[in-house]
Amino acid sequence: MRLYSGTVCPYSHRCRIVLFEKGMDFEVIDVDLMNKSEDVAAINPYNKVPVLVERDLVLYEANIINEYIDERFPHPQLMPPDPVMRGRARLFLHRFEVDLYSQIETIEQGAVKSADKSRAIIRDSLTQFSQILVKQKFLLGDEFSMLDVAIAPLLWRLDHYGIQMGKDAMPLMKYAERLFSRQGFIDALTPYERAMRK
């Protein structure tokens, strides 16, 4: 199993976390996002990372890759076993894409005014999660799940993206520290990602 992974890509980071959480045997192929090799374009029509290759199977899009890994290697299980909870988890993952991750490109490449607006959208959306985290350890309860995997790379990059969280986000920031202390998260960090936080 090979993962073509961007060294600073938050989507690739998610897939690396899942692979390390599962304790699997895999190879990570680092891809320079500014100078991608033709290999990525040959296996992904969108010429993006992450891309997972296992024998004849080629998957792209972080959520699709992660669900495949979770179904193929079910221990520890990261998606809820119950269909109703799994449906809710998928809706949360979709919301993360639409409400949070869609803002990153604007922050990285947009004009100052639009980047500031995107920072505020992320800050306000994340602050809402603080209320959930007052009562429970992780986003779906007391067990680490795919939702925690999906949000962890964004939380790691808050300073890097210039997003300042307010005092009302304290439960979220304590939760972030819990995520960052997990061995799977630590092992999944690239040297470039480690340098994002001093």
Side-chain angles (χ1 to χ4, degrees):
M1 191 176 274
R2 296 192 311 277
L3 180 72
Y4 290 81
S5 166
T7 54
V8 293
C9 167
Y11 301 98
S12 298
H13 191 178
R14 285 193 216 172
C15 296
R16 282 183 263 118
I17 292 169
V18 169
L19 289 166
F20 278 106
E21 282 284 338
K22 299 279 184 179
M24 291 173 47
D25 186 23
F26 61 92
E27 177 188 3
V28 173
I29 298 165
D30 289 330
V31 176
D32 180 351
L33 298 179
M34 297 302 154
N35 189 22
K36 283 183 246 176
S37 72
E38 292 175 17
D39 291 356
V40 176
I43 56 177
N44 181 348
Y46 301 104
N47 195 23
K48 290 179 164 181
V49 290
V51 181
L52 184 78
V53 178
E54 185 182 29
R55 296 186 191 92
D56 296 335
L57 178 69
V58 177
L59 295 174
Y60 40 90
E61 295 301 318
N63 288 336
I64 293 169
I65 291 169
N66 283 347
E67 278 212 48
Y68 168 76
I69 295 167
D70 196 48
E71 288 174 9
R72 179 120 161 60
F73 303 93
H75 301 290
Q77 191 168 23
L78 296 173
M79 284 296 279
D82 172 59
V84 172
M85 286 302 289
R86 198 162 54 244
R88 286 187 181 139
R90 287 185 178 128
L91 268 180
F92 261 111
L93 291 169
H94 178 71
R95 279 187 59 199
F96 291 170
E97 299 305 316
V98 174
D99 298 348
L100 302 172
Y101 280 92
S102 65
Q103 306 298 326
I104 290 173
E105 191 173 339
T106 306
I107 291 170
E108 291 182 329
Q109 300 169 0
V112 172
K113 202 170 186 178
S114 55
D116 285 344
K117 184 178 176 187
S118 288
R119 286 185 186 96
I121 290 169
I122 291 175
R123 182 197 63 225
D124 295 345
S125 295
L126 287 175
T127 300
Q128 292 175 2
F129 291 122
S130 278
Q131 297 160 7
I132 297 170
L133 295 162
V134 169
K135 298 175 184 152
Q136 57 197 46
K137 196 172 173 187
F138 297 108
L139 287 176
L140 276 182
D142 289 330
E143 297 295 321
F144 182 78
S145 76
M146 202 65 83
L147 298 190
D148 307 301
V149 168
I151 207 163
L154 178 59
L155 295 174
W156 181 259
R157 290 162 169 76
L158 288 178
D159 289 345
H160 178 72
Y161 293 142
I163 299 167
Q164 303 296 317
M165 301 302 293
K167 288 180 182 172
D168 47 353
M170 192 58 83
L172 177 82
M173 302 319 290
K174 286 181 179 172
Y175 158 76
E177 293 304 324
R178 281 196 298 279
L179 297 182
F180 303 159
S181 68
R182 292 181 70 87
Q183 195 60 51
F185 183 89
I186 294 165
D187 293 342
L189 288 168
T190 66
Y192 299 100
E193 287 165 340
R194 287 178 197 278
M196 288 177 174
R197 287 171 65 97
K198 304 289 187 267

PDB file of all heavy atoms in Angstrom, residues 170-194:
ATOM      1  N   MET A 170     -11.709  27.633  24.443  1.00  0.00           N
ATOM      2  CA  MET A 170     -10.773  26.904  25.313  1.00  0.00           C
ATOM      3  C   MET A 170     -11.018  25.392  25.315  1.00  0.00           C
ATOM      4  O   MET A 170     -10.060  24.616  25.211  1.00  0.00           O
ATOM      5  CB  MET A 170     -10.822  27.465  26.735  1.00  0.00           C
ATOM      6  CG  MET A 170      -9.683  26.961  27.600  1.00  0.00           C
ATOM      7  SD  MET A 170      -8.048  27.358  26.919  1.00  0.00           S
ATOM      8  CE  MET A 170      -7.856  29.015  27.512  1.00  0.00           C
ATOM      9  N   PRO A 171     -12.276  24.910  25.382  1.00  0.00           N
ATOM     10  CA  PRO A 171     -12.483  23.454  25.327  1.00  0.00           C
ATOM     11  C   PRO A 171     -11.961  22.848  24.020  1.00  0.00           C
ATOM     12  O   PRO A 171     -11.417  21.744  24.020  1.00  0.00           O
ATOM     13  CB  PRO A 171     -14.005  23.295  25.436  1.00  0.00           C
ATOM     14  CG  PRO A 171     -14.466  24.545  26.117  1.00  0.00           C
ATOM     15  CD  PRO A 171     -13.537  25.623  25.650  1.00  0.00           C
ATOM     16  N   LEU A 172     -12.088  23.592  22.927  1.00  0.00           N
ATOM     17  CA  LEU A 172     -11.586  23.127  21.633  1.00  0.00           C
ATOM     18  C   LEU A 172     -10.064  23.018  21.662  1.00  0.00           C
ATOM     19  O   LEU A 172      -9.491  22.051  21.146  1.00  0.00           O
ATOM     20  CB  LEU A 172     -12.027  24.078  20.518  1.00  0.00           C
ATOM     21  CG  LEU A 172     -11.507  23.729  19.130  1.00  0.00           C
ATOM     22  CD1 LEU A 172     -12.385  22.657  18.485  1.00  0.00           C
ATOM     23  CD2 LEU A 172     -11.457  24.957  18.235  1.00  0.00           C
ATOM     24  N   MET A 173      -9.393  23.986  22.269  1.00  0.00           N
ATOM     25  CA  MET A 173      -7.942  23.986  22.289  1.00  0.00           C
ATOM     26  C   MET A 173      -7.400  22.867  23.196  1.00  0.00           C
ATOM     27  O   MET A 173      -6.373  22.262  22.894  1.00  0.00           O
ATOM     28  CB  MET A 173      -7.397  25.355  22.715  1.00  0.00           C
ATOM     29  CG  MET A 173      -7.854  26.514  21.807  1.00  0.00           C
ATOM     30  SD  MET A 173      -7.865  26.131  20.025  1.00  0.00           S
ATOM     31  CE  MET A 173      -6.135  26.027  19.678  1.00  0.00           C
ATOM     32  N   LYS A 174      -8.109  22.567  24.286  1.00  0.00           N
ATOM     33  CA  LYS A 174      -7.710  21.432  25.132  1.00  0.00           C
ATOM     34  C   LYS A 174      -7.891  20.120  24.369  1.00  0.00           C
ATOM     35  O   LYS A 174      -7.067  19.213  24.467  1.00  0.00           O
ATOM     36  CB  LYS A 174      -8.530  21.420  26.422  1.00  0.00           C
ATOM     37  CG  LYS A 174      -8.121  22.498  27.400  1.00  0.00           C
ATOM     38  CD  LYS A 174      -8.934  22.425  28.678  1.00  0.00           C
ATOM     39  CE  LYS A 174      -8.478  23.500  29.648  1.00  0.00           C
ATOM     40  NZ  LYS A 174      -9.356  23.586  30.815  1.00  0.00           N
ATOM     41  N   TYR A 175      -8.978  20.043  23.624  1.00  0.00           N
ATOM     42  CA  TYR A 175      -9.241  18.880  22.763  1.00  0.00           C
ATOM     43  C   TYR A 175      -8.118  18.728  21.722  1.00  0.00           C
ATOM     44  O   TYR A 175      -7.613  17.627  21.495  1.00  0.00           O
ATOM     45  CB  TYR A 175     -10.602  19.072  22.099  1.00  0.00           C
ATOM     46  CG  TYR A 175     -10.850  18.318  20.830  1.00  0.00           C
ATOM     47  CD1 TYR A 175     -11.121  16.944  20.844  1.00  0.00           C
ATOM     48  CD2 TYR A 175     -10.852  18.979  19.604  1.00  0.00           C
ATOM     49  CE1 TYR A 175     -11.386  16.257  19.664  1.00  0.00           C
ATOM     50  CE2 TYR A 175     -11.112  18.301  18.426  1.00  0.00           C
ATOM     51  CZ  TYR A 175     -11.379  16.942  18.463  1.00  0.00           C
ATOM     52  OH  TYR A 175     -11.635  16.272  17.295  1.00  0.00           O
ATOM     53  N   ALA A 176      -7.712  19.859  21.121  1.00  0.00           N
ATOM     54  CA  ALA A 176      -6.636  19.828  20.122  1.00  0.00           C
ATOM     55  C   ALA A 176      -5.362  19.234  20.729  1.00  0.00           C
ATOM     56  O   ALA A 176      -4.701  18.399  20.105  1.00  0.00           O
ATOM     57  CB  ALA A 176      -6.374  21.234  19.584  1.00  0.00           C
ATOM     58  N   GLU A 177      -5.031  19.625  21.952  1.00  0.00           N
ATOM     59  CA  GLU A 177      -3.833  19.090  22.611  1.00  0.00           C
ATOM     60  C   GLU A 177      -3.949  17.583  22.828  1.00  0.00           C
ATOM     61  O   GLU A 177      -2.961  16.854  22.721  1.00  0.00           O
ATOM     62  CB  GLU A 177      -3.557  19.825  23.921  1.00  0.00           C
ATOM     63  CG  GLU A 177      -3.146  21.286  23.739  1.00  0.00           C
ATOM     64  CD  GLU A 177      -1.928  21.482  22.836  1.00  0.00           C
ATOM     65  OE1 GLU A 177      -0.992  20.646  22.873  1.00  0.00           O
ATOM     66  OE2 GLU A 177      -1.922  22.465  22.073  1.00  0.00           O
ATOM     67  N   ARG A 178      -5.167  17.108  23.138  1.00  0.00           N
ATOM     68  CA  ARG A 178      -5.380  15.655  23.265  1.00  0.00           C
ATOM     69  C   ARG A 178      -5.085  14.959  21.944  1.00  0.00           C
ATOM     70  O   ARG A 178      -4.461  13.902  21.906  1.00  0.00           O
ATOM     71  CB  ARG A 178      -6.821  15.341  23.696  1.00  0.00           C
ATOM     72  CG  ARG A 178      -7.094  15.517  25.156  1.00  0.00           C
ATOM     73  CD  ARG A 178      -8.378  14.832  25.590  1.00  0.00           C
ATOM     74  NE  ARG A 178      -9.587  15.332  24.968  1.00  0.00           N
ATOM     75  CZ  ARG A 178     -10.248  16.431  25.348  1.00  0.00           C
ATOM     76  NH1 ARG A 178      -9.796  17.150  26.358  1.00  0.00           N
ATOM     77  NH2 ARG A 178     -11.349  16.794  24.739  1.00  0.00           N
ATOM     78  N   LEU A 179      -5.564  15.559  20.850  1.00  0.00           N
ATOM     79  CA  LEU A 179      -5.316  14.966  19.531  1.00  0.00           C
ATOM     80  C   LEU A 179      -3.821  14.959  19.209  1.00  0.00           C
ATOM     81  O   LEU A 179      -3.291  13.964  18.720  1.00  0.00           O
ATOM     82  CB  LEU A 179      -6.064  15.734  18.436  1.00  0.00           C
ATOM     83  CG  LEU A 179      -7.586  15.763  18.498  1.00  0.00           C
ATOM     84  CD1 LEU A 179      -8.147  16.529  17.308  1.00  0.00           C
ATOM     85  CD2 LEU A 179      -8.159  14.356  18.541  1.00  0.00           C
ATOM     86  N   PHE A 180      -3.154  16.070  19.488  1.00  0.00           N
ATOM     87  CA  PHE A 180      -1.738  16.211  19.132  1.00  0.00           C
ATOM     88  C   PHE A 180      -0.840  15.277  19.948  1.00  0.00           C
ATOM     89  O   PHE A 180       0.288  15.003  19.548  1.00  0.00           O
ATOM     90  CB  PHE A 180      -1.257  17.656  19.330  1.00  0.00           C
ATOM     91  CG  PHE A 180      -2.032  18.688  18.558  1.00  0.00           C
ATOM     92  CD1 PHE A 180      -2.012  20.015  18.951  1.00  0.00           C
ATOM     93  CD2 PHE A 180      -2.799  18.350  17.444  1.00  0.00           C
ATOM     94  CE1 PHE A 180      -2.720  20.987  18.249  1.00  0.00           C
ATOM     95  CE2 PHE A 180      -3.517  19.317  16.744  1.00  0.00           C
ATOM     96  CZ  PHE A 180      -3.473  20.635  17.151  1.00  0.00           C
ATOM     97  N   SER A 181      -1.335  14.815  21.100  1.00  0.00           N
ATOM     98  CA  SER A 181      -0.513  13.937  21.936  1.00  0.00           C
ATOM     99  C   SER A 181      -0.654  12.462  21.551  1.00  0.00           C
ATOM    100  O   SER A 181       0.071  11.616  22.073  1.00  0.00           O
ATOM    101  CB  SER A 181      -0.869  14.128  23.408  1.00  0.00           C
ATOM    102  OG  SER A 181      -2.175  13.646  23.666  1.00  0.00           O
ATOM    103  N   ARG A 182      -1.574  12.145  20.634  1.00  0.00           N
ATOM    104  CA  ARG A 182      -1.749  10.754  20.207  1.00  0.00           C
ATOM    105  C   ARG A 182      -0.540  10.309  19.377  1.00  0.00           C
ATOM    106  O   ARG A 182      -0.059  11.056  18.521  1.00  0.00           O
ATOM    107  CB  ARG A 182      -3.030  10.591  19.374  1.00  0.00           C
ATOM    108  CG  ARG A 182      -4.292  10.779  20.178  1.00  0.00           C
ATOM    109  CD  ARG A 182      -5.522  10.583  19.309  1.00  0.00           C
ATOM    110  NE  ARG A 182      -5.673   9.187  18.919  1.00  0.00           N
ATOM    111  CZ  ARG A 182      -6.295   8.264  19.640  1.00  0.00           C
ATOM    112  NH1 ARG A 182      -6.811   8.578  20.811  1.00  0.00           N
ATOM    113  NH2 ARG A 182      -6.395   7.018  19.199  1.00  0.00           N
ATOM    114  N   GLN A 183      -0.097   9.093  19.593  1.00  0.00           N
ATOM    115  CA  GLN A 183       1.088   8.597  18.886  1.00  0.00           C
ATOM    116  C   GLN A 183       0.872   8.574  17.373  1.00  0.00           C
ATOM    117  O   GLN A 183       1.769   8.896  16.606  1.00  0.00           O
ATOM    118  CB  GLN A 183       1.484   7.211  19.393  1.00  0.00           C
ATOM    119  CG  GLN A 183       2.880   6.792  18.980  1.00  0.00           C
ATOM    120  CD  GLN A 183       3.952   7.743  19.504  1.00  0.00           C
ATOM    121  OE1 GLN A 183       3.987   8.051  20.688  1.00  0.00           O
ATOM    122  NE2 GLN A 183       4.818   8.224  18.618  1.00  0.00           N
ATOM    123  N   GLY A 184      -0.333   8.195  16.953  1.00  0.00           N
ATOM    124  CA  GLY A 184      -0.636   8.165  15.515  1.00  0.00           C
ATOM    125  C   GLY A 184      -0.501   9.537  14.878  1.00  0.00           C
ATOM    126  O   GLY A 184      -0.001   9.669  13.761  1.00  0.00           O
ATOM    127  N   PHE A 185      -0.920  10.570  15.611  1.00  0.00           N
ATOM    128  CA  PHE A 185      -0.800  11.936  15.099  1.00  0.00           C
ATOM    129  C   PHE A 185       0.663  12.353  15.023  1.00  0.00           C
ATOM    130  O   PHE A 185       1.123  12.895  14.014  1.00  0.00           O
ATOM    131  CB  PHE A 185      -1.579  12.921  15.977  1.00  0.00           C
ATOM    132  CG  PHE A 185      -1.548  14.330  15.456  1.00  0.00           C
ATOM    133  CD1 PHE A 185      -2.507  14.777  14.569  1.00  0.00           C
ATOM    134  CD2 PHE A 185      -0.531  15.202  15.829  1.00  0.00           C
ATOM    135  CE1 PHE A 185      -2.457  16.070  14.052  1.00  0.00           C
ATOM    136  CE2 PHE A 185      -0.466  16.490  15.327  1.00  0.00           C
ATOM    137  CZ  PHE A 185      -1.441  16.924  14.437  1.00  0.00           C
ATOM    138  N   ILE A 186       1.396  12.081  16.081  1.00  0.00           N
ATOM    139  CA  ILE A 186       2.815  12.458  16.144  1.00  0.00           C
ATOM    140  C   ILE A 186       3.594  11.779  15.013  1.00  0.00           C
ATOM    141  O   ILE A 186       4.377  12.418  14.305  1.00  0.00           O
ATOM    142  CB  ILE A 186       3.416  12.098  17.521  1.00  0.00           C
ATOM    143  CG1 ILE A 186       2.771  12.959  18.618  1.00  0.00           C
ATOM    144  CG2 ILE A 186       4.936  12.251  17.532  1.00  0.00           C
ATOM    145  CD1 ILE A 186       3.007  12.449  20.035  1.00  0.00           C
ATOM    146  N   ASP A 187       3.359  10.474  14.830  1.00  0.00           N
ATOM    147  CA  ASP A 187       4.076   9.726  13.800  1.00  0.00           C
ATOM    148  C   ASP A 187       3.727  10.193  12.394  1.00  0.00           C
ATOM    149  O   ASP A 187       4.533  10.070  11.470  1.00  0.00           O
ATOM    150  CB  ASP A 187       3.774   8.223  13.922  1.00  0.00           C
ATOM    151  CG  ASP A 187       4.348   7.619  15.198  1.00  0.00           C
ATOM    152  OD1 ASP A 187       5.241   8.240  15.812  1.00  0.00           O
ATOM    153  OD2 ASP A 187       3.886   6.524  15.585  1.00  0.00           O
ATOM    154  N   ALA A 188       2.508  10.731  12.222  1.00  0.00           N
ATOM    155  CA  ALA A 188       2.049  11.144  10.890  1.00  0.00           C
ATOM    156  C   ALA A 188       2.610  12.490  10.444  1.00  0.00           C
ATOM    157  O   ALA A 188       2.534  12.834   9.268  1.00  0.00           O
ATOM    158  CB  ALA A 188       0.516  11.193  10.869  1.00  0.00           C
ATOM    159  N   LEU A 189       3.183  13.255  11.372  1.00  0.00           N
ATOM    160  CA  LEU A 189       3.699  14.588  11.019  1.00  0.00           C
ATOM    161  C   LEU A 189       4.953  14.493  10.150  1.00  0.00           C
ATOM    162  O   LEU A 189       5.856  13.709  10.449  1.00  0.00           O
ATOM    163  CB  LEU A 189       4.046  15.377  12.279  1.00  0.00           C
ATOM    164  CG  LEU A 189       2.891  15.898  13.125  1.00  0.00           C
ATOM    165  CD1 LEU A 189       3.415  16.397  14.468  1.00  0.00           C
ATOM    166  CD2 LEU A 189       2.141  17.008  12.404  1.00  0.00           C
ATOM    167  N   THR A 190       5.001  15.314   9.112  1.00  0.00           N
ATOM    168  CA  THR A 190       6.234  15.449   8.330  1.00  0.00           C
ATOM    169  C   THR A 190       7.109  16.511   9.012  1.00  0.00           C
ATOM    170  O   THR A 190       6.602  17.302   9.817  1.00  0.00           O
ATOM    171  CB  THR A 190       5.939  15.912   6.888  1.00  0.00           C
ATOM    172  OG1 THR A 190       5.397  17.245   6.933  1.00  0.00           O
ATOM    173  CG2 THR A 190       4.964  14.969   6.182  1.00  0.00           C
ATOM    174  N   PRO A 191       8.399  16.557   8.688  1.00  0.00           N
ATOM    175  CA  PRO A 191       9.245  17.621   9.261  1.00  0.00           C
ATOM    176  C   PRO A 191       8.709  19.021   8.967  1.00  0.00           C
ATOM    177  O   PRO A 191       8.794  19.918   9.809  1.00  0.00           O
ATOM    178  CB  PRO A 191      10.603  17.395   8.579  1.00  0.00           C
ATOM    179  CG  PRO A 191      10.614  15.940   8.237  1.00  0.00           C
ATOM    180  CD  PRO A 191       9.191  15.591   7.902  1.00  0.00           C
ATOM    181  N   TYR A 192       8.122  19.212   7.782  1.00  0.00           N
ATOM    182  CA  TYR A 192       7.577  20.522   7.416  1.00  0.00           C
ATOM    183  C   TYR A 192       6.370  20.869   8.284  1.00  0.00           C
ATOM    184  O   TYR A 192       6.189  22.021   8.685  1.00  0.00           O
ATOM    185  CB  TYR A 192       7.176  20.535   5.939  1.00  0.00           C
ATOM    186  CG  TYR A 192       8.324  20.292   5.008  1.00  0.00           C
ATOM    187  CD1 TYR A 192       8.534  19.031   4.453  1.00  0.00           C
ATOM    188  CD2 TYR A 192       9.222  21.312   4.688  1.00  0.00           C
ATOM    189  CE1 TYR A 192       9.600  18.793   3.601  1.00  0.00           C
ATOM    190  CE2 TYR A 192      10.303  21.084   3.837  1.00  0.00           C
ATOM    191  CZ  TYR A 192      10.481  19.820   3.300  1.00  0.00           C
ATOM    192  OH  TYR A 192      11.540  19.592   2.463  1.00  0.00           O
ATOM    193  N   GLU A 193       5.548  19.861   8.580  1.00  0.00           N
ATOM    194  CA  GLU A 193       4.386  20.104   9.441  1.00  0.00           C
ATOM    195  C   GLU A 193       4.814  20.396  10.873  1.00  0.00           C
ATOM    196  O   GLU A 193       4.230  21.250  11.529  1.00  0.00           O
ATOM    197  CB  GLU A 193       3.427  18.910   9.381  1.00  0.00           C
ATOM    198  CG  GLU A 193       2.683  18.847   8.064  1.00  0.00           C
ATOM    199  CD  GLU A 193       1.996  17.524   7.807  1.00  0.00           C
ATOM    200  OE1 GLU A 193       2.369  16.505   8.432  1.00  0.00           O
ATOM    201  OE2 GLU A 193       1.088  17.487   6.962  1.00  0.00           O
ATOM    202  N   ARG A 194       5.835  19.689  11.345  1.00  0.00           N
ATOM    203  CA  ARG A 194       6.337  19.961  12.709  1.00  0.00           C
ATOM    204  C   ARG A 194       6.773  21.417  12.839  1.00  0.00           C
ATOM    205  O   ARG A 194       6.563  22.052  13.866  1.00  0.00           O
ATOM    206  CB  ARG A 194       7.524  19.056  13.034  1.00  0.00           C
ATOM    207  CG  ARG A 194       7.139  17.614  13.278  1.00  0.00           C
ATOM    208  CD  ARG A 194       8.388  16.752  13.557  1.00  0.00           C
ATOM    209  NE  ARG A 194       8.079  15.345  13.388  1.00  0.00           N
ATOM    210  CZ  ARG A 194       7.496  14.591  14.304  1.00  0.00           C
ATOM    211  NH1 ARG A 194       7.170  15.116  15.460  1.00  0.00           N
ATOM    212  NH2 ARG A 194       7.246  13.317  14.061  1.00  0.00           N
TER     213      ARG A 194
END
